[in-house]
């Protein structure tokens, strides 16, 4: 059952006085109940989830812009005009695509077409979402997979798993490509990250 998400609007929302300035004053509700898995409601819920996870890690220079984007999304959800809110929608769509990637990293068949269909944009639009980040869709996917592989290799709980098993489990379909990408990213081999007896074991 999808119970949705309720967001309460109040002074000092997210500790930013006046952050509700993007909401229309004559339509600003005391609370918003977001339901459904599509449309603006889904985008806002996704962005809120990501914001909740990273808000404490952001420094003071980063928080205002990210929170402002969120408030712009709320403005659209409450019936505000699109206009200058579109940048916030693009940021939220990018977050949606990253969330989708995170949930499907283990799928070796993960493609831009698959992700674009899931967040309801064209493949071209998906690539445009990643363009300002400086890395492509494929590079982001590979980066996340490498991070997961490194974490698994360094974990004592994965000691009995081979490097090959870990690489394929996180969506790599070529061991040679995995080794090259891993060394290029971290400057060491997978075996060196693991260390100890059996280091470098495939």
């Amino acid at each position: 059952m999808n119970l949705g998400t309720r967001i309460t609007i109040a002074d000092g929302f997210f500790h930013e006085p006046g952050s509700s300035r993007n909401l229309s004053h004559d339509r600003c509700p005391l609370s918003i109940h977001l339901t459904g898995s599509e449309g603006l409601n889904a985008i806002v819920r996704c962005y809120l989830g990501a914001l909740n996870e990273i808000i404490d890690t952001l420094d003071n220079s980063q928080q205002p812009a990210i929170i402002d984007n969120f408030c712009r999304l709320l403005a659209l959800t409450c019936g505000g005009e699109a206009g200058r809110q579109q940048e916030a929608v693009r940021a939220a769509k990018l977050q949606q695509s990253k969330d989708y990637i995170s949930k499907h990293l283990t799928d070796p068949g993960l493609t831009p077409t698959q992700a674009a269909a899931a967040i309801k944009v064209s493949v071209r639009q998906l690539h445009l979402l990643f363009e300002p980040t400086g890395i492509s869709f494929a590079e982001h996917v590979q980066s996340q997979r490498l991070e997961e592989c490194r974490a698994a290799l360094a974990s004592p709980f994965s000691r009995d798993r081979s490097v090959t098993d870990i690489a394929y489990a996180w969506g790599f379909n070529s061991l040679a490509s995995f080794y090259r990408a891993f060394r290029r990213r971290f400057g060491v081999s997978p075996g060196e990250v693991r260390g100890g007896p059996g280091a470098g074991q495939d």
Side-chain angles (χ1 to χ4, degrees), residues 9-132:
I9 307 299
D11 289 337
F13 181 55
F14 279 128
H15 312 293
E16 287 290 321
S19 62
S20 59
R21 61 188 176 277
N22 290 303
L23 297 175
S24 173
H25 293 298
D26 59 346
R27 301 190 63 179
C28 182
L30 293 178
S31 64
I32 306 168
H33 190 219
L34 305 174
T35 59
S37 58
E38 298 183 0
L40 275 174
N41 283 359
I43 295 175
V44 174
R45 292 176 63 192
C46 173
Y47 199 80
L48 176 61
L51 182 56
N52 282 337
E53 290 181 6
I54 67 170
I55 190 66
D56 291 331
T57 68
L58 300 175
D59 60 39
N60 292 335
S61 65
Q62 296 172 313
Q63 287 188 14
I66 293 177
I67 293 172
D68 187 62
N69 269 346
F70 181 70
C71 290
R72 290 174 189 271
L73 290 173
L74 287 182
L76 281 177
T77 305
C78 296
E81 295 182 5
R84 56 198 292 263
Q85 321 295 357
Q86 288 308 305
E87 187 58 38
V89 174
R90 282 192 290 272
K93 276 290 185 182
L94 175 61
Q95 185 59 52
Q96 263 195 316
S97 66
K98 288 182 176 181
D99 285 355
Y100 183 84
I101 289 170
S102 294
K103 293 174 183 176
H104 295 83
L105 274 180
T106 58
D107 179 6
L110 176 60
T111 64
T113 300
Q114 184 180 339
I119 67 170
K120 295 182 171 49
V121 297
S122 69
V123 174
R124 180 177 179 277
Q125 287 173 320
L126 178 69
H127 288 308
L128 288 175
L129 289 175
F130 277 90
E131 199 171 78

